[in-house]
Amino acid sequence: MNVLICCEESQAVCKAFREKGHNAFSCDIQRCSGGHPEWHIDYDCSQLLDAHRDNKSIHFRTEDGWWHYSPRQWDLIIAHPPCTYLARSSSCNMYVNGKIDVQRYEKMISAKQFFMKFYDLPGRIAIENPVPMKMAGLPGYTQTIQPYEFGDNYTKLTCLWLKNLPYLVSMTYAAPGEKRNFAKSWCKVRSGSKYRSKTFKGIARAMAQQWQFDN
């Protein structure tokens, strides 16, 4: 399969699909931290999305400097769009002295528009994000998952918006014991959204295992 993972610099999902033998590429405006620049496109994914929508192949370059041709349509697109201005957890920052922060509201609208670029694509599409704030008005999500349902002993409620894809099924629960809150434990020694947004390996493996198709 030809798989495009958008807004992923960690390459966790990309590597999981590569391990299954698929032609997968990560894409992000940041350089990759996953160790495989030959599988990473370090610029905005909009051109690739437009080509997919129009059923066209385009020339793209990976971070190692090599050029490739995209498929006319990707068999699967998985997206992790930025959630800073969309997540329910950030809704408390939308108001200043009881009034809507206009600049933050405009950033929320811009983030929603980017989210909808993925949601409106044809084909097999999966979008991953935290629970959104009501004000953003995002479409209803398909399912919610937790890292501990896929073998990682953390809680981090995650929403999936799925198009032409089955639900992601839990297969390996984490070992018994206290489940650690991801934001409070794993992130307390690492700052920034770059670390908070990384995909857990268990979820990445489940995606690669369960979302494989012949055509």
Side-chain angles (χ1 to χ4, degrees):
M1 290 197 314
N2 294 305
V3 184
L4 178 65
I5 303 97
C6 297
C7 311
E8 182 192 53
E9 57 79 29
S10 72
Q11 298 189 294
V13 180
C14 178
K15 288 191 288 188
F17 275 93
R18 283 280 177 172
E19 288 173 1
K20 292 291 185 180
H22 299 293
N23 186 41
F25 291 92
S26 55
C27 183
D28 196 275
I29 56 174
Q30 302 180 72
R31 289 183 173 271
C32 68
S33 64
H36 289 280
E38 71 276 16
W39 302 337
H40 186 68
I41 308 161
D42 60 338
Y43 53 83
D44 189 291
C45 62
S46 295
Q47 277 190 311
L48 291 165
L49 301 184
D50 291 342
H52 172 87
R53 183 182 295 106
D54 296 336
N55 197 29
K56 294 180 179 179
S57 178
I58 62 170
H59 215 194
F60 69 88
R61 186 177 64 183
T62 45
E63 192 177 310
D64 63 345
W66 283 83
W67 287 90
H68 310 259
Y69 281 102
S70 71
R72 294 180 68 88
Q73 283 200 330
W74 297 87
D75 296 306
L76 171 63
I77 294 178
I78 299 173
H80 309 275
C83 62
T84 302
Y85 301 103
L86 295 175
R88 183 177 64 185
S89 58
S90 68
S91 60
C92 59
N93 298 318
M94 186 60 71
Y95 294 87
V96 176
N97 297 325
K99 296 182 179 180
I100 290 179
D101 184 328
V102 175
Q103 289 187 337
R104 192 172 184 91
Y105 181 83
E106 291 175 346
K107 289 179 179 178
M108 181 196 71
I109 295 301
S110 179
K112 178 184 178 180
Q113 291 171 342
F114 187 61
F115 179 101
M116 294 303 295
K117 283 186 177 182
F118 300 105
Y119 188 84
D120 291 334
L121 289 172
R124 298 184 182 98
I125 309 297
I127 307 171
E128 177 273 333
N129 246 213
V131 177
M133 70 173 78
K134 290 184 178 180
M135 185 182 294
L138 294 184
Y141 44 83
T142 310
Q143 73 171 122
T144 59
I145 57 175
Q146 289 275 11
Y148 63 77
E149 297 173 324
F150 300 89
D152 291 294
N153 200 20
Y154 286 97
T155 61
K156 183 189 177 189
L157 187 63
T158 302
C159 301
L160 297 177
W161 288 256
L162 305 178
K163 181 185 289 188
N164 301 316
L165 288 170
Y167 279 48
L168 204 60
V169 179
S170 171
M171 297 184 68
T172 306
Y173 272 75
E178 182 181 357
K179 297 177 179 66
R180 293 168 289 177
N181 181 284
F182 177 72
K184 293 181 180 179
S185 58
W186 198 88
C187 287
K188 69 180 180 181
V189 294
R190 302 169 178 86
S191 61
S193 59
K194 176 178 178 179
Y195 291 103
R196 291 193 298 271
S197 63
K198 288 183 183 293
T199 303
F200 284 89
K201 290 182 178 179
I203 293 175
R205 286 194 296 265
M207 289 177 173
Q209 182 173 346
Q210 297 178 32
W211 293 343
Q212 298 187 82
F213 308 95
D214 295 331
N215 52 50

